Amino acid sequence: MPYSQETATLQEQFEQVIATDDKLKIGDFLNDQNISDVAELIYDNPDYESQILANLSIHRAASVFRILDVSAQKSIIKELPPFKTAELLNELPADDRTSFLEELPSSVVKELIKLLDPEERKVTLALLGYPESSVGRLMTPDYIAVNVDWTVREVLDHIREEGKHSETIDVIYVVNEKGVFMDDIRIREFLLASPDKMVSDLVDGRYITLHVNDDQEAAYQVFKMNNRVALPVLDDNDILLGIVTIDDVLWVASEEFTEDIQKIGGTEALDAPYLEIGLSKLVRKRAGWLIILFLSEMLTATAMGHYQDEIAKAVVLSLFIPLIMSSGGNSGSQASTLIIQAMALGELTILDWWKVMRRELLSGFTLGAILGTIGFLRIVIWQTFKIFDYGIHAMRLAAVIFFSLIGIVLWGSLMGSMLPIILKSLKLDPATSSAPFVATLVDVTGIVIYFSVAYIFFKGIWFT
């Protein structure tokens, strides 16, 4: 029994419609859906993804295409006929088209650029000419610019004529006759002003701009601090080149966040979804860091080898080596993650290093004292209730654990918090101070701290 339109799910409705093979009926159905629902249909029906896009109106097809994952976009472009690909690429906003082309091999880009209209080809090539991580790669030329010498009536006439080609008309950009940026004014100011009022009378000079070569992460911080939906992009001569909208900046922020998370986990950033990246490439991305960490861990073995005589004399000390090493590594990993996140969000800079160090000195000491107390009580309780016999020097051993944990957790916190700041000051990516890397460094120093404290407490008893 066929499903009714009211009770059938979207997937069931789609299956019914696609089975008819009626392009007109399929097109009407798809064009009636929200673009996010159409995107879900594409993800859920990979065998029909190009057919779904091909049956949408070109405007809605472009709207759906721009919100898809890159992998889905690539798959669709491979299957679409050339004329449909040309329509789609020409309909896409310039910034979204550029972002997509950046993900493709240069040989494919050359072929796709040939499909663009002359004007769109010119815009795309201009955008592709800017550095990869610059604001220039994000900007779109689809905006409304008006002359400072116009009247409000002329502005509104211009908006009616050109507004349909603009990505946003919430903000209108004011330039002089040479194209030099003067101000950005919300459209409501024009709607509420007298038609005979001059644009120059509305200019107040309170604006925020981006430079075409600014870093994309810096642009995200500007948007975050100023609550804007779009910002103008200028060159060295203050000529208005385009605008960057909040949706593009949020996309960049999401990609940067994903990349940083992967680096913090001790891998190189993946440039494709996990399930789609080749096995050999996945191994290469992970092998580098694992080799570095493995070689670093050899230092731990070297440090332990240096104290092998002490371990032989007091085997009981070896029982607590895993506890000591993990506590220091965990505290370092925590601090590193917190500082990397704070720097990514713009909450602190390298100039705040002393504030960070002061806080980590206090917090590291406090956390070390907490763990040290737990370690101390553990030995005392186990010894008192005969759960384990640590020997006649159990109290000295408990004191070693207490003071060692204070020193190691404190050192781990300092290492974890300072390393990202040091890397940032050297113009390196703080995210490379990954949690595994910090933990490895703290492991080595933890062994030294532990046996140094043990030597102080057991000098003349176990050690000479």
Side-chain angles (χ1 to χ4, degrees):
M1 180 177 178
Y3 293 99
S4 69
Q5 195 75 3
E6 289 75 17
T7 59
T9 65
L10 181 64
Q11 176 64 25
E12 292 167 340
Q13 293 175 38
F14 171 73
E15 291 172 356
Q16 292 178 38
V17 172
I18 206 73
T20 66
D21 205 26
D22 185 335
K23 291 187 177 181
L24 184 61
K25 191 172 183 180
I26 295 171
D28 288 341
F29 169 76
L30 293 172
N31 284 314
D32 283 341
Q33 311 305 319
N34 295 324
I35 60 170
S36 58
D37 291 332
V38 177
E40 286 300 319
L41 285 175
I42 289 175
Y43 291 137
D44 293 339
N45 301 274
D47 293 338
Y48 293 100
E49 55 187 10
S50 60
Q51 187 176 347
I52 291 172
L53 213 70
N55 281 286
L56 286 165
S57 66
I58 191 60
H59 176 69
R60 288 181 61 78
S63 297
V64 171
F65 186 84
R66 63 188 297 201
I67 66 172
L68 294 175
D69 293 339
V70 174
S71 57
Q73 291 177 335
K74 290 179 180 179
S75 177
I76 288 170
I77 288 295
K78 284 181 182 177
E79 297 178 19
L80 283 179
F83 79 93
K84 198 67 180 180
T85 300
E87 279 188 345
L88 180 62
L89 292 177
N90 281 300
E91 184 67 22
L92 282 173
D95 53 337
D96 292 304
R97 181 170 57 237
T98 302
S99 296
F100 171 62
L101 293 177
E102 286 176 350
E103 303 292 335
L104 303 176
S106 57
S107 58
V108 177
V109 173
K110 290 178 182 177
E111 293 302 316
L112 292 178
I113 285 180
K114 293 177 183 178
L115 301 175
L116 298 176
D117 295 337
E119 188 61 32
E120 296 296 339
R121 186 184 306 133
K122 180 180 177 182
V123 170
T124 301
L125 289 173
L127 291 176
L128 287 172
Y130 293 109
E132 185 174 353
S133 60
S134 69
V135 166
R137 288 293 187 99
L138 293 179
M139 70 180 181
T140 174
D142 300 327
Y143 59 91
I144 297 293
V146 300
N147 195 289
V148 70
D149 296 325
W150 288 3
T151 64
V152 170
R153 180 180 285 105
E154 290 175 303
V155 170
L156 295 177
D157 289 341
H158 182 68
I159 293 172
R160 293 188 189 98
E161 183 177 346
E162 300 293 335
K164 60 181 177 292
H165 304 303
S166 175
E167 186 157 338
T168 175
I169 61 172
D170 293 338
V171 180
I172 309 301
Y173 302 91
V174 182
V175 297
N176 64 16
E177 66 280 356
K178 295 181 180 180
V180 174
F181 178 78
M182 305 294 290
D183 204 353
D184 54 0
I185 302 175
R186 295 185 183 279
I187 192 172
R188 69 187 303 271
E189 300 297 327
F190 292 109
L191 295 174
L192 298 175
S194 167
D196 297 322
K197 194 177 187 68
M198 300 297 294
V199 173
S200 57
D201 294 332
L202 297 176
V203 171
D204 59 15
R206 293 183 297 183
Y207 55 79
I208 299 166
T209 63
L210 299 172
H211 188 275
V212 68
N213 290 321
D214 282 347
D215 187 84
Q216 293 175 359
E217 287 191 63
Y220 168 71
Q221 295 300 331
V222 174
F223 271 91
K224 178 184 172 184
M225 298 302 294
N226 294 281
N227 193 29
R228 297 296 187 97
V229 296
L231 285 174
V233 181
L234 313 182
D235 66 7
D236 292 332
N237 299 313
D238 291 334
I239 301 296
L240 179 61
L241 300 178
I243 65 171
V244 171
T245 53
I246 185 65
D247 60 323
D248 294 317
V249 172
L250 290 176
W251 186 268
V252 169
S254 176
E255 288 186 330
E256 291 294 337
F257 176 76
T258 300
E259 182 177 318
D260 286 348
I261 288 297
Q262 290 168 351
K263 287 181 179 179
I264 290 172
T267 68
E268 293 183 40
L270 303 181
D271 49 15
Y274 173 80
L275 292 177
E276 295 180 15
I277 193 168
L279 180 60
S280 61
K281 193 171 186 180
L282 182 62
V283 171
R284 288 199 304 272
K285 291 284 187 180
R286 297 172 64 178
W289 266 110
L290 283 177
I291 292 170
I292 292 171
L293 295 173
F294 179 75
L295 294 175
S296 300
E297 285 288 1
M298 286 184 176
L299 296 175
T300 304
T302 302
M304 290 185 67
H306 181 72
Y307 291 102
Q308 62 179 335
D309 292 339
E310 285 77 4
I311 295 175
K313 294 174 184 177
V315 177
V316 70
L317 289 175
S318 64
L319 298 176
F320 295 93
I321 289 176
L323 178 148
I324 293 295
M325 292 172 61
S326 63
S327 297
N330 290 340
S331 66
S333 299
Q334 279 187 340
S336 175
T337 302
L338 290 173
I339 298 304
I340 291 171
Q341 181 187 36
M343 294 179 76
L345 295 175
E347 296 172 354
L348 59 85
T349 67
I350 57 176
L351 298 177
D352 297 314
W353 69 270
W354 171 242
K355 294 179 182 178
V356 174
M357 179 178 283
R358 189 171 56 193
R359 290 176 65 88
E360 289 303 318
L361 280 170
L362 294 172
S363 60
F365 180 84
T366 304
L367 292 169
I370 292 172
L371 296 184
T373 301
I374 295 173
F376 182 91
L377 292 175
R378 193 261 196 199
I379 293 176
V380 171
I381 292 172
W382 260 241
Q383 184 70 21
T384 301
F385 291 97
K386 308 300 182 182
I387 298 174
F388 188 88
D389 184 9
Y390 291 103
I392 60 174
H393 301 298
M395 292 305 296
R396 285 178 183 264
L397 179 62
V400 168
I401 298 302
F402 176 75
F403 288 107
S404 294
L405 281 170
I406 291 178
I408 290 168
V409 172
L410 177 57
W411 176 248
S413 297
L414 285 176
M415 286 282 287
S417 60
M418 289 295 104
L419 189 57
I421 295 176
I422 292 171
L423 290 174
K424 184 72 172 180
S425 66
L426 296 175
K427 309 297 183 184
L428 300 174
D429 188 354
T432 57
S433 58
S434 63
F437 186 57
V438 171
T440 301
L441 290 178
V442 176
D443 283 351
V444 179
T445 52
I447 292 294
V448 175
I449 292 172
Y450 179 44
F451 281 100
S452 297
V453 173
Y455 179 82
I456 293 171
F457 276 85
F458 289 102
K459 185 178 180 181
I461 299 175
W462 287 340
F463 309 140
T464 57

